[in-house]
Amino acid sequence: MKQKIQAAIVGYGNLGKGVRKAINQSEDIELVAIFTRREPGQLEAGEAGVKFEHISAVEQYKGKVDVMILCGGSATDLPEQTPAIARMFNTVDSFDTHAKIPEFYETVDAAAKQGGTLSVISTGWDPGLFSMNRLLAEAILPQGKEYTFWGKGVSQGHSDAIRRVDGVKAGVQYTVPVQEVIEAIRAGETPELTTRQKHLRECFVVAEAGADQERIRAEIVNMPNYFADYDTTVTFITEEELAAQHSGIPHGGFVIRSGVTGEGTKQIVEFGLKLESNPEFTASVLVAYARAAQRMSQEGQSGARTVFDIPLGMLSPKSPEELRRNLL
Amino acid sequence: MKQKIQAAIVGYGNLGKGVRKAINQSEDIELVAIFTRREPGQLEAGEAGVKFEHISAVEQYKGKVDVMILCGGSATDLPEQTPAIARMFNTVDSFDTHAKIPEFYETVDAAAKQGGTLSVISTGWDPGLFSMNRLLAEAILPQGKEYTFWGKGVSQGHSDAIRRVDGVKAGVQYTVPVQEVIEAIRAGETPELTTRQKHLRECFVVAEAGADQERIRAEIVNMPNYFADYDTTVTFITEEELAAQHSGIPHGGFVIRSGVTGEGTKQIVEFGLKLESNPEFTASVLVAYARAAQRMSQEGQSGARTVFDIPLGMLSPKSPEELRRNLL
């Protein structure tokens, strides 16, 4: 019987909770501990069957944890946590600030090489699975046009922006891809699309009692960066409706490449996700890449890796022979 | 300026022709020669700008070709050609007899290790891209159900079977996935499906003058292995209609995994292809993997590899830095 991979979680928000659930579904991975900035005793009292530790205790787990699954945010947590922890442990994270990935990669690569560890950075679904499909389809169809659509799904940043508007008590924003445009691309068209033509933004807003709804609507739809470049709808609902119908965190989207081979032969490659829970799915991707991180480390590799550097076979608990026999 | 990858084609049917076109679209790959069992002089007379050689001259190209792209059939060509050529050159092929892949892998692996070369076997789209998506989605969503649908597309084997029926002059068979079933799966259902429920078979047949069409129809729809387990339609058409409307070789399909995370949270991952030319697309996949074969060989690797063993970054002519900056 092979030794199970000893994993730990750093950060226990929606993503960390999702990782815990995903580890539960993985027969070859065992959860050693969850590290948090909060009071571990309090968390432990509320949840049975798992060890909580304060983040400051991470170092004491050297030799006891094969891979740390980092579930902090990209804005402030990961830029600090990933390099610090990569000096001691194999890691996997979902750093998703696209523009800063090259710099983040260099920093983590240096830290992991120093520690002799392996760090998978920026995995999840975008960056992650979507990136892989962009690369794959472009490598196969160099002459072509790529489209990425997101949604229908909740955008946390846009929901936060709504809630900052005066007179708004609560609210949620859905990014919605324009279905007619997707159908046209699937049918072989390769349109040039503006931001407005690709996605709609649907806002569901709970207004404070007595607030001017028309003023709120105008402030939202004209908000620069967030809404002004989109067709945005604002629907006022009650707090009860918000709780009953908008408490999930669904997301998804499509990567479509419409390419041409030979003399004008159309070839279309499409990858799509339809997710009832964005954080639970991202967590499941992290856990599969945690398995890969541990394996590559055991092979003696160290440094930073992205989804582009990792053979798919590394993600599966099955042996190469089994994969060739049953999945190829 | 980097040296271009020197590639050659072995076998010049539809697939080999597609590879030639795909190499034309690849700035980092150069076509050295096309090897054929036919008379090379005759082929060369008909097509400008490329060197044809008899297959027996392969050995003379040692040191001049970085990777041989093998475009023969899986029934008799590749089981013999791949191991023989892998002893001398890096290779890539589309061996697609699923049941024989494990044995084929072992044979080619031994030959390539003996030759110090690298062989990518069984790539294309199924086996190939579809296999990769089956593995990826299963690794991420271990609790779930996977569906592979093929079509709408031409099945060569079924078209051949039609043409063997007495009184049939010509014909073509399309495999058609049942759209309602796909929509149900996309909507979250996970039905148990019989063969009949997943695909239809549509036959377009040119009958000999005076042949009994009802007898032909009955022979086709009741043919064991090929049609008896499916709902099959037979439409009689003229030779002119066949030439005008059914001369393409379209194909495609979908790999859908419907999984569950946490407490019953539905997550759906889908990969789909819509191809106007099956051989041209398969050829484009082969060329991307030829690039990977040459690179892995240059790193000092040897032996057989499948799509499960190869990092996606190897498929792209772009540098790892460029991929992280622009595609991640």
Side-chain angles (χ1 to χ4, degrees), chain A residues 42-313:
Chain A
Q42 262 174 2
L43 282 165
E44 214 157 88
E47 307 217 21
V50 65
K51 177 89 191 141
F52 283 87
E53 286 278 11
H54 192 263
I55 181 101
S56 58
V58 160
E59 206 164 344
Q60 299 164 26
Y61 278 76
K62 272 191 86 165
K64 294 180 203 157
V65 168
D66 294 320
V67 55
M68 289 280 180
I69 304 176
L70 309 184
C71 299
S74 296
T76 57
D77 298 332
L78 296 175
E80 188 193 306
Q81 284 177 0
T82 304
I85 295 175
R87 277 186 205 96
M88 300 180 277
F89 297 93
N90 300 320
T91 68
V92 54
D93 70 45
S94 62
F95 183 78
D96 66 358
T97 313
H98 288 261
K100 293 191 177 165
I101 286 174
E103 178 192 336
F104 185 71
Y105 174 89
E106 296 299 336
T107 309
V108 177
D109 190 52
K113 280 182 177 150
Q114 190 192 314
T117 60
L118 195 131
S119 286
V120 179
I121 66 158
S122 300
T123 188
W125 59 274
D126 197 359
L129 306 190
F130 274 22
S131 324
M132 292 158 72
N133 278 281
R134 284 189 284 263
L135 188 163
L136 183 63
E138 181 188 276
I140 293 167
L141 299 172
Q143 288 181 15
K145 204 164 155 47
E146 180 261 318
Y147 299 89
T148 299
F149 293 91
W150 295 276
K152 180 178 178 175
V154 173
S155 163
Q156 222 53 64
H158 289 80
S159 299
D160 290 344
I162 293 175
R163 291 189 285 257
R164 286 192 297 264
V165 172
D166 208 44
V168 170
K169 198 168 176 186
V172 63
Q173 192 264 188
Y174 296 94
T175 305
V176 184
V178 177
Q179 202 57 40
E180 300 76 50
V181 169
I182 295 177
E183 291 308 330
I185 295 166
R186 284 180 183 152
E189 293 178 35
T190 51
E192 292 291 332
L193 298 171
T194 63
T195 299
R196 192 179 294 276
Q197 288 170 313
K198 288 183 71 185
H199 297 94
L200 310 173
R201 297 204 175 276
E202 292 179 355
C203 306
F204 294 87
V205 175
V206 180
E208 308 267 12
D212 178 351
Q213 296 194 351
E214 268 323 298
R215 198 246 325 138
I216 291 174
R217 182 193 310 273
E219 268 193 52
I220 292 173
V221 303
N222 296 312
M223 197 184 296
N225 302 320
Y226 287 92
F227 295 102
D229 297 336
Y230 296 85
D231 288 339
T232 301
T233 62
V234 178
T235 307
F236 289 93
I237 59 175
T238 65
E239 251 179 311
E240 293 69 33
E241 285 169 325
L242 187 77
Q245 289 156 38
H246 303 282
S247 61
I249 318 174
H251 221 309
F254 308 89
V255 175
I256 310 177
R257 187 168 184 91
S258 182
V260 170
T261 58
E263 289 87 39
T265 309
K266 290 245 177 214
Q267 315 275 24
I268 298 174
V269 181
E270 175 169 346
F271 180 79
L273 295 172
K274 193 171 163 189
L275 310 174
E276 275 188 4
S277 165
N278 181 359
E280 282 187 13
F281 185 79
T282 301
S284 296
V285 178
L286 285 180
V287 169
Y289 277 95
R291 180 180 290 124
Q294 154 69 359
R295 284 183 176 176
M296 289 187 285
S297 171
Q298 286 212 307
E299 288 183 0
Q301 299 187 45
S302 73
R305 296 289 185 279
T306 74
V307 292
F308 297 156
D309 308 313
I310 302 170
L312 294 177

Side-chain angles (χ1 to χ4, degrees), chain A residues 3-8 28-30 32 64-68:
Chain A
Q3 167 80 45
K4 287 189 183 186
I5 296 170
Q6 305 293 300
D28 60 332
I29 307 182
E30 212 161 65
V32 177
K64 294 180 203 157
V65 168
D66 294 320
V67 55
M68 289 280 180

Side-chain angles (χ1 to χ4, degrees), chain A residues 21 25-26 98 101-102 105-106 121-122 126-129 131-136 138-143 186-188 260-278 280-281 284-285 288-289 291 306-318 320-321 323-325 327-328, chain B residues 21 25-26 98 101-102 105-106 121-122 126-129 131-136 138-143 186-188 260-278 280-281 284-285 288-289 291 306-318 320-321 323-325 327-328:
Chain A
K21 291 173 188 168
Q25 290 190 347
S26 306
H98 288 261
I101 286 174
Y105 174 89
E106 296 299 336
I121 66 158
S122 300
D126 197 359
L129 306 190
S131 324
M132 292 158 72
N133 278 281
R134 284 189 284 263
L135 188 163
L136 183 63
E138 181 188 276
I140 293 167
L141 299 172
Q143 288 181 15
R186 284 180 183 152
V260 170
T261 58
E263 289 87 39
T265 309
K266 290 245 177 214
Q267 315 275 24
I268 298 174
V269 181
E270 175 169 346
F271 180 79
L273 295 172
K274 193 171 163 189
L275 310 174
E276 275 188 4
S277 165
N278 181 359
E280 282 187 13
F281 185 79
S284 296
V285 178
Y289 277 95
R291 180 180 290 124
T306 74
V307 292
F308 297 156
D309 308 313
I310 302 170
L312 294 177
M314 288 275 183
L315 305 177
S316 172
K318 295 181 176 169
E321 294 73 27
L323 293 174
R324 282 194 292 272
R325 199 169 52 239
L327 289 179
L328 199 61
Chain B
K21 292 172 189 170
Q25 291 190 347
S26 306
H98 287 262
I101 286 175
Y105 174 88
E106 296 300 336
I121 66 157
S122 301
D126 198 358
L129 306 190
S131 323
M132 292 158 73
N133 278 280
R134 283 190 284 263
L135 187 163
L136 182 64
E138 181 188 277
I140 293 167
L141 300 172
Q143 287 181 15
R186 284 180 182 152
V260 170
T261 59
E263 289 88 39
T265 309
K266 290 246 178 214
Q267 316 274 22
I268 298 174
V269 180
E270 176 170 346
F271 180 79
L273 296 172
K274 193 173 163 188
L275 311 174
E276 276 188 4
S277 165
N278 181 359
E280 283 188 12
F281 186 79
S284 297
V285 178
Y289 277 96
R291 180 180 291 125
T306 75
V307 293
F308 297 156
D309 307 314
I310 302 170
L312 294 177
M314 289 275 181
L315 304 178
S316 171
K318 295 181 176 169
E321 295 73 26
L323 292 175
R324 283 194 292 273
R325 200 170 50 241
L327 289 179
L328 199 62

Side-chain angles (χ1 to χ4, degrees), chain B residues 13 50 59 96 135 155 161 168 173 200 251 261 327:
Chain B
V50 65
E59 207 163 343
D96 67 358
L135 187 163
S155 163
V168 170
Q173 193 265 188
L200 310 173
H251 221 310
T261 59
L327 289 179

